[in-house]
């Protein structure tokens, strides 16, 4: 049985998985405050990037999304990940 996810609010950090179409290099890890950045290439040769990040609040999350939009990277999904006791996302 799945555990209920803790309630999030606008002002506390939470861990998010952000997926975009296109490539975001690992050199952007510090800029986005990302715990990880990974790139996948599908059978057709199209790239998608997944960022795992813990913005300080919802405003910072919107800033990340806006920056990715400015890079012209289409947003695929955003998911709030369940955190472990240490604050890291559960895998």
């Amino acid at each position: 049985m799945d555990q209920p996810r803790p309630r999030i609010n606008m002002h506390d950090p939470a861990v998010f998985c952000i997926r975009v179409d296109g490539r975001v290099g690992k050199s952007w890890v510090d800029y986005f405050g990302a715990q990880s950045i990974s790139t996948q290439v599908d059978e057709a040769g199209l790239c998608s990037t997944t960022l795992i990040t813990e913005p300080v609040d919802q405003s910072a999350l919107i800033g990340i999304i806006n920056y990715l939009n400015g890079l012209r990277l289409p947003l695929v999904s955003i998911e709030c990940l369940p955190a472990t006791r240490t604050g890291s996302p559960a895998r």
Side-chain angles (χ1 to χ4, degrees):
M1 180 178 207
D2 289 334
Q3 295 284 342
R5 73 171 176 80
R7 185 165 170 82
I8 62 171
N9 64 50
M10 299 292 288
H11 308 290
D12 291 330
V15 179
F16 291 91
C17 176
I18 303 171
R19 290 186 180 90
V20 294
D21 276 342
R23 184 180 303 269
V24 176
K26 293 191 185 288
S27 62
W28 288 92
V29 136
D30 288 336
Y31 183 84
F32 290 118
Q35 295 171 358
S36 70
I37 294 178
S38 60
T39 303
Q40 301 80 33
V41 180
D42 68 13
E43 310 81 41
L46 301 174
C47 278
S48 66
T49 299
T50 302
L51 292 91
I52 305 295
T53 187
E54 186 175 0
V56 295
D57 57 20
Q58 293 281 304
S59 175
L61 175 63
I62 297 300
I64 292 170
I65 294 166
N66 284 336
Y67 200 86
L68 291 167
N69 181 63
L71 293 174
R72 304 190 58 78
L73 296 169
L75 184 63
V76 175
S77 66
I78 301 173
E79 178 183 6
C80 185
L81 300 176
T84 64
R85 288 191 176 153
T86 63
S88 299
R91 287 283 167 167

